[in-house]
Amino acid sequence: MSGSEDIPQHFTVDNQLWEALQKANPEIISRNCEISFDQKDGFYRIPVLNDFYGIFPQDKRIVRLSGKRRVSEEKYQVELTLFLLYYLLGTKDIPLVGKRVSEKELKGGEMFFRGPHALPVNAIIEKFGQNPEGLIASGLLLGGKKVELGDASIELRPAPKVPVTYVLWAEDEEFPASVSILFDPTIQEFLPLDVIYGITILLSHRLVGT
């Protein structure tokens, strides 16, 4: 793993998550999550956007296997770590539904995603509200896929079975710019709402380049 780099672990993550991962069956997790497990070195290899990470259960350690450190990752280590652990532990062997729903359509989402948990779209609007092609360009650099929705939209994959789509309606003479973040309905089968909120924070900051 030449060139790999540990994510600093100077934060608190529930130790029970690591303990559960240590006891889990790697074959089942690999199948459910559509990832691989390195038997020799004992780690899960998971693609996150345009990078790869290694999750080492026995060492309670996460290592970046490719790419370079970003400011957004330094700022949002907890969100990324919790997302990866919950993804490994919670993802089920079920197919994606193949449709996109808003956060308010998720079970409990209408109450949860408001106030301090409103999805982080303001920075996206500020940077790309008058530049929809910029959103596409930024998303493609993160390994995203262009989608034909709104004035510009990009589907990102923070994990193989977690598509997250940003849809932008650009500012015009009548209306201000707006952004929606859409999910495959299966995300609520894999992740709790606070972890879904956390990963959108990281994705939004990656898109705006902070």
Side-chain angles (χ1 to χ4, degrees):
M1 294 180 293
S2 176
S4 65
E5 187 174 14
D6 282 11
I7 298 177
Q9 299 291 308
H10 53 78
F11 53 83
T12 301
V13 171
D14 191 340
N15 200 51
Q16 291 181 345
L17 295 174
W18 284 111
E19 292 175 353
L21 192 59
Q22 290 171 353
K23 298 174 183 176
N25 186 323
E27 183 178 344
I28 293 175
I29 287 183
S30 298
R31 182 180 67 245
N32 290 355
C33 297
E34 297 183 358
I35 60 172
S36 61
F37 182 76
D38 187 300
Q39 295 282 352
K40 178 182 177 182
D41 293 323
F43 71 93
Y44 295 96
R45 187 173 189 268
I46 179 170
V48 178
L49 301 175
N50 55 345
D51 290 331
F52 282 90
Y53 289 82
I55 293 87
F56 293 75
Q58 299 307 316
D59 298 334
K60 301 180 182 179
R61 187 165 60 105
I62 296 177
V63 174
R64 184 185 303 96
L65 304 177
S66 66
K68 59 183 180 180
R69 186 175 303 285
R70 296 176 175 82
V71 173
S72 60
E73 187 167 287
E74 291 285 349
K75 293 171 63 178
Y76 300 109
Q77 298 168 38
V78 173
E79 288 83 356
L80 176 61
T81 300
L82 286 173
F83 170 73
L84 292 175
L85 294 180
Y86 270 100
Y87 179 75
L88 292 176
L89 291 168
T91 302
K92 301 175 182 178
D93 186 20
I94 58 176
L96 298 177
V97 173
K99 70 175 184 177
R100 299 178 175 93
V101 299
S102 74
E103 76 279 13
K104 302 293 177 64
E105 296 175 86
L106 301 177
K107 185 177 181 180
E110 188 170 4
M111 291 296 296
F112 181 83
F113 292 107
R114 58 172 61 183
H117 293 132
L119 292 186
V121 299
N122 290 338
I124 303 292
I125 292 171
E126 182 177 343
K127 182 159 188 176
F128 302 116
Q130 297 180 343
N131 178 25
E133 289 306 314
L135 175 68
I136 300 299
S138 180
L140 292 176
L141 287 175
L142 295 174
K145 180 180 70 173
K146 184 177 179 181
V147 179
E148 298 300 327
L149 292 171
D151 293 314
S153 56
I154 193 81
E155 180 186 281
L156 302 176
R157 292 267 180 155
K161 293 180 73 172
V162 181
V164 180
T165 303
Y166 282 74
V167 183
L168 168 69
W169 286 267
E171 179 180 340
D172 60 26
E173 295 179 355
E174 295 185 50
F175 300 102
S178 64
V179 170
S180 294
I181 304 179
L182 306 178
F183 310 91
D184 190 276
T186 52
I187 195 171
Q188 63 194 333
E189 304 292 333
F190 307 154
L191 305 172
L193 296 179
D194 58 340
V195 173
I196 295 172
Y197 171 70
I199 196 59
T200 63
I201 294 176
L202 179 61
L203 293 178
S204 293
H205 281 267
R206 285 280 185 92
L207 278 170
V208 299
T210 60

